[in-house]
Amino acid sequence: MSSESLFTECKNCGKKISKSIRACPQCGTKQKKLTVIHWIGIVFLGFIIVSVINAPENSSIDTSVKTQKSFEDSVREAVFKKLKLDFSWGKEGFGSIMIANFAIVNNSEYDIKDIEIMCAHYAKSGTKIDSNERKIYEIVKANSTKSFANFNMGFIHEQVISSSCQIKDFTVII
């Protein structure tokens, strides 16, 4: 081994110094050097990053669970297309409570339950003031209509003059 390989140049003052020292004896600048352990750590970290980037997504999810979920999603979507909500409403409780009459038409081949209704409320100017959400904990059979009279939708702003209601969520009974 030649004596040249034992020396390096100081990054600050440019003098030849031993590779084994931590600070330059001339100017006192600390010498940064990577040991074999550092290089092994860098390579190992690189392998981890490459593995994470190239890992298949959702590899731990069982395909039967995916199939069941997509079946339920497709049934739910088909049922949602065959639902209709008819409603009328009014104010009670000194004009601060919305009372609605709902008729849910279920033209699908599946029963549904726990129907969540969302009503948006608008002022005379057309500005949306607020909204209410309530769940009807009843079953609406397949190919049937079920009415819910005098359903309390909760507090409503005194300036509301119109409302639009829709089915937001429900559970399909499979």
Coordinates of all heavy atoms in Angstrom, one line a residue, residues 35-116:
T35 N -17.8 5.9 6.9 CA -17.2 4.6 7.2 C -17.9 3.5 6.4 O -19.0 3.8 5.8 CB -17.2 4.3 8.7 OG1 -18.6 4.2 9.1 CG2 -16.5 5.4 9.5
V36 N -17.4 2.3 6.5 CA -18.1 1.2 5.9 C -19.5 1.0 6.4 O -20.4 0.7 5.7 CB -17.2 -0.1 6.1 CG1 -17.9 -1.3 5.5 CG2 -15.9 0.1 5.4
I37 N -19.6 1.2 7.7 CA -21.0 1.0 8.3 C -21.9 2.1 7.7 O -23.1 1.7 7.5 CB -20.9 1.3 9.9 CG1 -20.0 0.2 10.5 CG2 -22.2 1.3 10.5 CD1 -20.5 -1.2 10.5
H38 N -21.5 3.3 7.5 CA -22.3 4.3 6.9 C -22.8 3.9 5.5 O -23.9 4.0 5.1 CB -21.6 5.7 6.8 CG -21.4 6.4 8.1 ND1 -20.2 6.5 8.7 CD2 -22.3 7.0 8.9 CE1 -20.3 7.1 9.8 NE2 -21.6 7.4 10.0
W39 N -21.9 3.4 4.7 CA -22.2 3.0 3.4 C -23.2 1.8 3.4 O -24.1 1.7 2.5 CB -20.9 2.6 2.6 CG -20.2 3.8 2.1 CD1 -19.0 4.3 2.6 CD2 -20.6 4.8 1.2 NE1 -18.7 5.5 2.0 CE2 -19.7 5.8 1.1 CE3 -21.8 4.9 0.4 CZ2 -19.8 6.9 0.3 CZ3 -21.9 6.0 -0.5 CH2 -20.9 7.0 -0.5
I40 N -23.0 0.8 4.3 CA -23.9 -0.3 4.4 C -25.3 0.2 4.7 O -26.3 -0.2 4.2 CB -23.4 -1.3 5.4 CG1 -22.1 -2.0 4.9 CG2 -24.5 -2.4 5.7 CD1 -21.4 -2.9 5.9
G41 N -25.4 1.2 5.7 CA -26.7 1.7 6.0 C -27.3 2.5 4.9 O -28.6 2.3 4.7
I42 N -26.6 3.2 4.1 CA -27.1 3.9 2.9 C -27.7 2.9 1.9 O -28.8 3.1 1.4 CB -26.0 4.9 2.3 CG1 -25.8 6.0 3.3 CG2 -26.5 5.4 1.0 CD1 -24.5 6.8 2.9
V43 N -26.9 1.9 1.6 CA -27.4 0.9 0.6 C -28.6 0.2 1.2 O -29.6 0.0 0.4 CB -26.2 -0.1 0.4 CG1 -26.7 -1.3 -0.4 CG2 -25.1 0.6 -0.4
F44 N -28.7 -0.2 2.4 CA -29.8 -0.8 3.0 C -31.1 0.1 2.9 O -32.1 -0.4 2.6 CB -29.5 -1.2 4.5 CG -30.6 -1.9 5.2 CD1 -30.9 -3.3 4.9 CD2 -31.4 -1.3 6.1 CE1 -31.9 -4.0 5.5 CE2 -32.4 -2.0 6.8 CZ -32.7 -3.3 6.4
L45 N -30.9 1.3 3.3 CA -32.0 2.3 3.2 C -32.5 2.4 1.7 O -33.7 2.5 1.5 CB -31.6 3.6 3.7 CG -32.6 4.7 3.8 CD1 -33.8 4.3 4.7 CD2 -32.0 6.0 4.2
G46 N -31.6 2.4 0.8 CA -31.9 2.5 -0.6 C -32.8 1.3 -1.1 O -33.8 1.4 -1.8
F47 N -32.4 0.1 -0.6 CA -33.2 -1.1 -0.9 C -34.6 -1.0 -0.3 O -35.6 -1.4 -1.0 CB -32.5 -2.4 -0.3 CG -31.4 -2.9 -1.2 CD1 -30.1 -3.2 -0.7 CD2 -31.5 -3.1 -2.6 CE1 -29.1 -3.6 -1.4 CE2 -30.5 -3.5 -3.4 CZ -29.3 -3.8 -2.8
I48 N -34.7 -0.5 0.9 CA -36.0 -0.4 1.5 C -36.9 0.6 0.7 O -38.1 0.3 0.4 CB -35.9 0.1 3.0 CG1 -35.3 -1.0 3.8 CG2 -37.3 0.6 3.5 CD1 -35.0 -0.6 5.2
I49 N -36.3 1.7 0.3 CA -37.1 2.7 -0.5 C -37.5 2.1 -1.8 O -38.7 2.2 -2.2 CB -36.3 4.0 -0.7 CG1 -36.1 4.7 0.6 CG2 -36.9 4.9 -1.8 CD1 -35.1 5.9 0.6
V50 N -36.7 1.4 -2.5 CA -37.0 0.8 -3.8 C -38.1 -0.3 -3.6 O -39.0 -0.4 -4.4 CB -35.7 0.2 -4.5 CG1 -36.1 -0.7 -5.7 CG2 -34.8 1.3 -4.9
S51 N -38.0 -1.1 -2.5 CA -39.0 -2.1 -2.2 C -40.4 -1.5 -2.0 O -41.4 -2.0 -2.4 CB -38.6 -2.9 -1.0 OG -37.4 -3.6 -1.2
V52 N -40.4 -0.4 -1.2 CA -41.7 0.3 -0.9 C -42.3 0.8 -2.2 O -43.5 0.7 -2.4 CB -41.5 1.4 0.1 CG1 -42.8 2.3 0.2 CG2 -41.2 0.8 1.5
I53 N -41.5 1.4 -3.1 CA -42.0 2.0 -4.3 C -42.6 0.9 -5.2 O -43.6 1.1 -5.9 CB -40.9 2.8 -5.0 CG1 -40.6 4.1 -4.2 CG2 -41.3 3.2 -6.4 CD1 -39.4 4.9 -4.7
N54 N -41.9 -0.2 -5.3 CA -42.3 -1.3 -6.2 C -43.3 -2.3 -5.6 O -43.7 -3.2 -6.3 CB -41.1 -2.0 -6.7 CG -40.2 -1.1 -7.6 OD1 -40.7 -0.3 -8.3 ND2 -38.9 -1.3 -7.6
A55 N -43.7 -2.1 -4.4 CA -44.6 -3.1 -3.7 C -46.0 -3.0 -4.4 O -46.4 -1.9 -4.7 CB -44.7 -2.8 -2.2
P56 N -46.6 -4.1 -4.6 CA -48.0 -4.1 -5.2 C -49.0 -3.5 -4.2 O -48.9 -3.7 -3.0 CB -48.3 -5.5 -5.5 CG -47.4 -6.3 -4.6 CD -46.2 -5.5 -4.4
E57 N -49.9 -2.7 -4.7 CA -50.9 -2.0 -3.8 C -51.9 -3.0 -3.3 O -52.3 -3.9 -4.0 CB -51.6 -0.9 -4.5 CG -50.7 0.3 -4.8 CD -51.4 1.4 -5.5 OE1 -52.6 1.6 -5.2 OE2 -50.7 2.1 -6.2
N58 N -52.3 -2.9 -2.1 CA -53.4 -3.7 -1.5 C -53.1 -5.2 -1.6 O -54.0 -6.0 -1.7 CB -54.8 -3.4 -2.1 CG -55.2 -2.0 -1.9 OD1 -54.8 -1.4 -0.9 ND2 -55.9 -1.5 -2.9
S59 N -51.8 -5.6 -1.5 CA -51.5 -7.0 -1.6 C -52.0 -7.8 -0.5 O -52.1 -9.0 -0.6 CB -49.9 -7.1 -1.8 OG -49.3 -6.6 -0.6
S60 N -52.3 -7.2 0.7 CA -52.7 -8.0 1.8 C -54.2 -8.2 1.8 O -54.7 -9.0 2.7 CB -52.2 -7.3 3.1 OG -52.9 -6.1 3.2
I61 N -55.0 -7.6 1.0 CA -56.4 -7.8 1.0 C -56.8 -9.0 0.2 O -56.4 -9.2 -0.9 CB -57.1 -6.5 0.4 CG1 -56.8 -5.3 1.2 CG2 -58.6 -6.7 0.2 CD1 -57.4 -4.0 0.6
D62 N -57.6 -9.8 0.8 CA -58.1 -11.1 0.2 C -59.0 -10.8 -1.0 O -59.8 -9.9 -0.9 CB -58.8 -11.9 1.3 CG -59.2 -13.3 0.8 OD1 -58.8 -13.7 -0.3 OD2 -60.0 -13.9 1.5
T63 N -58.8 -11.5 -2.1 CA -59.6 -11.2 -3.3 C -61.1 -11.5 -3.1 O -61.9 -10.9 -3.7 CB -59.1 -12.0 -4.5 OG1 -59.0 -13.4 -4.2 CG2 -57.7 -11.5 -4.9
S64 N -61.4 -12.5 -2.2 CA -62.8 -12.8 -2.0 C -63.5 -11.6 -1.3 O -64.6 -11.4 -1.5 CB -62.9 -14.1 -1.1 OG -62.4 -13.9 0.1
V65 N -62.7 -10.9 -0.4 CA -63.3 -9.7 0.3 C -63.5 -8.6 -0.8 O -64.6 -8.0 -0.7 CB -62.3 -9.2 1.4 CG1 -62.8 -7.9 2.0 CG2 -62.2 -10.3 2.5
K66 N -62.6 -8.5 -1.7 CA -62.7 -7.5 -2.8 C -64.0 -7.8 -3.6 O -64.7 -6.9 -4.0 CB -61.5 -7.4 -3.7 CG -60.3 -6.7 -3.1 CD -59.2 -6.7 -4.1 CE -58.0 -6.1 -3.6 NZ -56.9 -6.2 -4.5
T67 N -64.1 -9.1 -4.0 CA -65.3 -9.5 -4.8 C -66.6 -9.2 -4.1 O -67.5 -8.7 -4.7 CB -65.1 -11.0 -5.2 OG1 -63.9 -11.2 -5.8 CG2 -66.2 -11.4 -6.1
Q68 N -66.6 -9.6 -2.8 CA -67.9 -9.4 -2.0 C -68.2 -7.9 -1.9 O -69.3 -7.5 -2.1 CB -67.7 -10.0 -0.6 CG -68.9 -9.7 0.3 CD -70.1 -10.5 -0.1 OE1 -70.0 -11.5 -0.8 NE2 -71.3 -10.0 0.2
K69 N -67.1 -7.0 -1.7 CA -67.3 -5.6 -1.6 C -67.8 -5.0 -2.9 O -68.8 -4.2 -2.9 CB -66.0 -5.0 -1.1 CG -66.1 -3.5 -0.9 CD -66.8 -3.2 0.4 CE -66.7 -1.8 0.8 NZ -67.6 -1.3 1.7
S70 N -67.3 -5.4 -4.0 CA -67.7 -4.9 -5.3 C -69.1 -5.4 -5.6 O -69.9 -4.6 -6.2 CB -66.7 -5.2 -6.4 OG -66.6 -6.6 -6.6
F71 N -69.5 -6.6 -5.2 CA -70.8 -7.1 -5.4 C -71.8 -6.2 -4.6 O -72.8 -5.7 -5.1 CB -71.0 -8.5 -5.0 CG -72.4 -9.0 -5.0 CD1 -73.1 -9.2 -6.2 CD2 -73.1 -9.2 -3.8 CE1 -74.4 -9.7 -6.1 CE2 -74.4 -9.7 -3.7 CZ -75.1 -9.9 -4.9
E72 N -71.5 -5.9 -3.3 CA -72.4 -5.1 -2.5 C -72.5 -3.7 -3.1 O -73.6 -3.1 -3.1 CB -71.9 -5.1 -1.1 CG -72.1 -6.4 -0.3 CD -71.5 -6.4 1.0 OE1 -70.9 -5.4 1.5 OE2 -71.5 -7.5 1.7
D73 N -71.4 -3.2 -3.5 CA -71.4 -1.8 -4.1 C -72.2 -1.8 -5.4 O -73.0 -0.8 -5.6 CB -69.9 -1.4 -4.4 CG -69.1 -1.0 -3.2 OD1 -69.7 -0.9 -2.1 OD2 -67.9 -1.0 -3.3
S74 N -72.1 -2.8 -6.2 CA -72.9 -2.8 -7.4 C -74.4 -2.9 -7.1 O -75.3 -2.3 -7.8 CB -72.5 -3.9 -8.4 OG -72.6 -5.1 -7.9
V75 N -74.8 -3.8 -6.1 CA -76.2 -3.9 -5.7 C -76.7 -2.6 -5.2 O -77.8 -2.1 -5.5 CB -76.3 -5.0 -4.7 CG1 -77.7 -5.0 -4.0 CG2 -76.1 -6.4 -5.3
R76 N -75.9 -2.0 -4.3 CA -76.3 -0.7 -3.7 C -76.5 0.4 -4.8 O -77.5 1.1 -4.7 CB -75.2 -0.3 -2.8 CG -75.4 1.0 -2.0 CD -74.2 1.3 -1.1 NE -74.2 2.6 -0.6 CZ -75.1 3.1 0.2 NH1 -76.1 2.4 0.7 NH2 -75.0 4.4 0.6
E77 N -75.6 0.4 -5.8 CA -75.8 1.4 -6.9 C -77.0 1.1 -7.7 O -77.8 2.1 -8.0 CB -74.5 1.3 -7.8 CG -74.5 2.4 -8.8 CD -73.2 2.3 -9.7 OE1 -72.1 2.1 -9.1 OE2 -73.3 2.4 -10.9
A78 N -77.3 -0.1 -7.9 CA -78.5 -0.5 -8.7 C -79.8 -0.1 -7.9 O -80.8 0.4 -8.4 CB -78.5 -2.0 -9.0
V79 N -79.8 -0.4 -6.6 CA -80.9 0.0 -5.7 C -81.1 1.5 -5.7 O -82.2 2.0 -5.8 CB -80.7 -0.6 -4.3 CG1 -81.8 -0.1 -3.3 CG2 -80.8 -2.1 -4.3
F80 N -80.0 2.2 -5.5 CA -80.1 3.7 -5.4 C -80.8 4.3 -6.6 O -81.5 5.2 -6.5 CB -78.7 4.3 -5.2 CG -78.7 5.7 -4.8 CD1 -79.0 6.0 -3.4 CD2 -78.4 6.7 -5.6 CE1 -79.0 7.3 -3.0 CE2 -78.5 8.0 -5.2 CZ -78.8 8.3 -3.9
K81 N -80.5 3.7 -7.8 CA -81.1 4.2 -9.0 C -82.6 4.0 -9.1 O -83.4 4.7 -9.8 CB -80.5 3.6 -10.2 CG -79.1 4.0 -10.5 CD -78.5 3.3 -11.7 CE -77.0 3.8 -11.9 NZ -76.4 3.1 -13.0
K82 N -83.1 3.0 -8.3 CA -84.5 2.7 -8.3 C -85.3 3.2 -7.1 O -86.4 2.8 -6.9 CB -84.7 1.2 -8.4 CG -84.2 0.6 -9.8 CD -84.4 -0.8 -9.9 CE -84.0 -1.3 -11.3 NZ -84.3 -2.7 -11.5
L83 N -84.7 4.1 -6.3 CA -85.3 4.7 -5.2 C -85.9 6.1 -5.6 O -85.3 6.8 -6.4 CB -84.4 4.9 -4.0 CG -83.9 3.6 -3.3 CD1 -82.9 4.0 -2.2 CD2 -85.1 2.8 -2.8
K84 N -87.0 6.5 -5.0 CA -87.6 7.8 -5.2 C -88.1 8.3 -3.9 O -88.7 7.5 -3.1 CB -88.7 7.7 -6.3 CG -89.3 9.0 -6.6 CD -90.5 8.8 -7.6 CE -91.2 10.2 -7.8 NZ -92.4 10.0 -8.5
L85 N -87.9 9.6 -3.7 CA -88.4 10.2 -2.5 C -89.4 11.3 -2.8 O -89.0 12.3 -3.6 CB -87.2 10.8 -1.7 CG -87.6 11.6 -0.4 CD1 -88.2 10.6 0.6 CD2 -86.4 12.3 0.2
D86 N -90.6 11.2 -2.4 CA -91.6 12.3 -2.5 C -91.8 12.9 -1.1 O -91.8 12.1 -0.1 CB -92.9 11.7 -3.0 CG -92.9 11.2 -4.4 OD1 -92.1 11.9 -5.2 OD2 -93.5 10.2 -4.7
F87 N -91.9 14.2 -1.0 CA -92.0 14.8 0.3 C -92.8 16.1 0.2 O -92.9 16.8 -0.8 CB -90.7 15.1 0.9 CG -89.9 16.2 0.3 CD1 -89.9 17.5 0.9 CD2 -89.2 16.1 -0.8 CE1 -89.2 18.5 0.4 CE2 -88.5 17.1 -1.4 CZ -88.5 18.4 -0.8
S88 N -93.4 16.5 1.4 CA -94.0 17.8 1.6 C -93.5 18.2 3.0 O -93.2 17.3 3.8 CB -95.5 17.8 1.5 OG -96.0 16.9 2.4
W89 N -93.5 19.5 3.3 CA -93.1 19.8 4.6 C -93.7 21.1 5.1 O -94.4 21.8 4.3 CB -91.5 20.0 4.6 CG -91.1 21.2 3.8 CD1 -91.0 21.3 2.4 CD2 -90.7 22.5 4.3 NE1 -90.5 22.5 2.1 CE2 -90.4 23.3 3.2 CE3 -90.7 23.1 5.6 CZ2 -90.0 24.6 3.3 CZ3 -90.3 24.4 5.7 CH2 -89.9 25.2 4.6
G90 N -93.6 21.4 6.4 CA -94.1 22.6 7.0 C -93.3 22.9 8.2 O -92.4 22.1 8.7
K91 N -93.6 24.0 8.8 CA -92.9 24.4 10.1 C -93.9 24.3 11.2 O -95.1 24.6 11.1 CB -92.5 25.9 10.0 CG -91.3 26.1 9.0 CD -91.0 27.6 9.0 CE -89.9 27.9 8.0 NZ -89.6 29.4 8.0
E92 N -93.4 23.9 12.4 CA -94.1 23.9 13.6 C -93.2 24.4 14.7 O -92.1 24.7 14.5 CB -94.6 22.4 13.9 CG -95.7 22.0 13.0 CD -96.4 20.7 13.4 OE1 -96.1 20.2 14.5 OE2 -97.2 20.2 12.6
G93 N -93.7 24.4 15.9 CA -92.9 24.8 17.1 C -92.5 26.3 16.9 O -91.3 26.5 16.9
F94 N -93.4 27.2 16.7 CA -93.2 28.6 16.5 C -92.3 28.8 15.3 O -91.5 29.7 15.3 CB -92.5 29.2 17.8 CG -93.4 29.1 19.0 CD1 -93.1 28.2 20.0 CD2 -94.5 29.9 19.1 CE1 -93.9 28.1 21.1 CE2 -95.3 29.8 20.2 CZ -95.0 28.9 21.2
G95 N -92.4 28.0 14.3 CA -91.7 28.2 13.0 C -90.2 27.7 13.1 O -89.4 28.1 12.2
S96 N -89.9 26.9 14.1 CA -88.5 26.6 14.2 C -88.2 25.1 14.0 O -87.1 24.6 14.1 CB -87.9 27.0 15.6 OG -88.7 26.3 16.6
I97 N -89.2 24.3 13.8 CA -89.1 22.8 13.6 C -89.7 22.4 12.2 O -90.8 22.9 11.9 CB -89.9 22.0 14.7 CG1 -89.4 22.4 16.1 CG2 -89.7 20.5 14.5 CD1 -88.1 22.0 16.5
M98 N -88.9 21.7 11.5 CA -89.4 21.2 10.2 C -90.1 19.8 10.4 O -89.5 18.9 11.0 CB -88.2 21.0 9.2 CG -88.6 20.4 7.9 SD -87.2 20.1 6.8 CE -88.0 19.5 5.4
I99 N -91.3 19.8 10.0 CA -92.1 18.5 10.0 C -92.3 18.1 8.5 O -92.8 18.9 7.8 CB -93.4 18.7 10.7 CG1 -93.2 19.2 12.2 CG2 -94.3 17.4 10.7 CD1 -92.4 18.1 13.0
A100 N -91.9 16.9 8.2 CA -92.0 16.5 6.8 C -92.9 15.2 6.7 O -93.0 14.4 7.6 CB -90.6 16.2 6.2
N101 N -93.5 15.1 5.5 CA -94.2 13.9 5.1 C -93.4 13.2 4.0 O -93.3 13.9 2.9 CB -95.6 14.2 4.7 CG -96.4 14.8 5.8 OD1 -96.5 14.2 6.9 ND2 -97.0 15.9 5.6
F102 N -92.9 12.0 4.2 CA -92.1 11.4 3.2 C -92.8 10.1 2.7 O -93.5 9.4 3.4 CB -90.7 10.9 3.8 CG -89.8 12.0 4.3 CD1 -89.5 12.1 5.6 CD2 -89.3 12.9 3.4 CE1 -88.7 13.1 6.0 CE2 -88.4 13.9 3.8 CZ -88.1 14.0 5.1
A103 N -92.6 9.9 1.4 CA -93.0 8.6 0.8 C -91.8 8.1 0.0 O -91.3 8.8 -0.9 CB -94.2 8.9 -0.2
I104 N -91.3 7.0 0.5 CA -90.1 6.4 -0.2 C -90.6 5.3 -1.1 O -91.3 4.3 -0.6 CB -89.1 5.8 0.9 CG1 -88.7 7.0 1.8 CG2 -88.0 5.1 0.2 CD1 -87.8 6.6 2.9
V105 N -90.3 5.4 -2.4 CA -90.7 4.4 -3.4 C -89.4 3.6 -3.7 O -88.4 4.1 -4.1 CB -91.2 5.1 -4.7 CG1 -91.6 4.1 -5.7 CG2 -92.3 6.1 -4.4
N106 N -89.6 2.3 -3.4 CA -88.5 1.3 -3.6 C -88.8 0.4 -4.8 O -89.5 -0.6 -4.6 CB -88.2 0.5 -2.3 CG -87.0 -0.4 -2.5 OD1 -86.4 -0.5 -3.5 ND2 -86.7 -1.2 -1.5
N107 N -88.4 0.7 -6.0 CA -88.7 -0.1 -7.1 C -87.6 -1.1 -7.4 O -87.5 -1.7 -8.5 CB -88.9 0.8 -8.4 CG -90.1 1.6 -8.3 OD1 -91.2 1.1 -7.9 ND2 -90.1 2.9 -8.7
S108 N -86.8 -1.4 -6.4 CA -85.7 -2.4 -6.6 C -86.2 -3.8 -6.1 O -87.3 -3.9 -5.6 CB -84.5 -2.0 -5.8 OG -84.6 -2.2 -4.5
E109 N -85.4 -4.8 -6.3 CA -85.7 -6.1 -5.9 C -85.1 -6.4 -4.5 O -85.2 -7.6 -4.0 CB -85.2 -7.1 -6.9 CG -83.7 -7.0 -7.2 CD -83.3 -7.6 -8.5 OE1 -83.9 -7.4 -9.5 OE2 -82.3 -8.4 -8.4
Y110 N -84.6 -5.4 -3.8 CA -84.1 -5.6 -2.5 C -84.8 -4.7 -1.5 O -85.1 -3.6 -1.8 CB -82.6 -5.2 -2.4 CG -81.7 -6.2 -3.3 CD1 -81.4 -5.8 -4.6 CD2 -81.2 -7.4 -2.7 CE1 -80.6 -6.7 -5.3 CE2 -80.5 -8.2 -3.5 CZ -80.1 -7.9 -4.8 OH -79.4 -8.7 -5.6
D111 N -84.9 -5.2 -0.2 CA -85.4 -4.4 0.9 C -84.3 -3.5 1.3 O -83.1 -3.8 1.2 CB -85.8 -5.3 2.1 CG -87.0 -6.3 1.7 OD1 -87.7 -6.1 0.7 OD2 -87.2 -7.2 2.5
I112 N -84.7 -2.3 1.8 CA -83.7 -1.4 2.4 C -84.2 -1.0 3.8 O -85.3 -1.1 4.1 CB -83.5 -0.1 1.5 CG1 -84.8 0.7 1.4 CG2 -83.0 -0.5 0.1 CD1 -84.6 2.0 0.7
K113 N -83.2 -0.5 4.6 CA -83.5 0.0 5.9 C -82.6 1.1 6.3 O -81.6 1.4 5.6 CB -83.4 -1.2 6.9 CG -81.9 -1.7 7.1 CD -81.9 -2.8 8.2 CE -80.4 -3.2 8.4 NZ -80.3 -4.1 9.5
D114 N -82.9 1.7 7.4 CA -82.0 2.8 8.0 C -81.7 3.8 6.9 O -80.6 4.1 6.6 CB -80.7 2.2 8.6 CG -81.0 1.2 9.6 OD1 -82.1 1.2 10.2 OD2 -80.1 0.3 9.9
I115 N -82.8 4.4 6.4 CA -82.7 5.4 5.3 C -82.3 6.8 5.9 O -83.1 7.3 6.7 CB -84.0 5.4 4.5 CG1 -84.4 4.1 4.0 CG2 -83.9 6.4 3.3 CD1 -85.5 3.4 4.7
E116 N -81.2 7.3 5.4 CA -80.8 8.7 5.8 C -81.3 9.7 4.8 O -81.1 9.6 3.6 CB -79.3 8.7 6.0 CG -78.9 10.0 6.6 CD -77.4 10.0 6.9 OE1 -76.7 8.9 6.9 OE2 -76.8 11.1 7.2

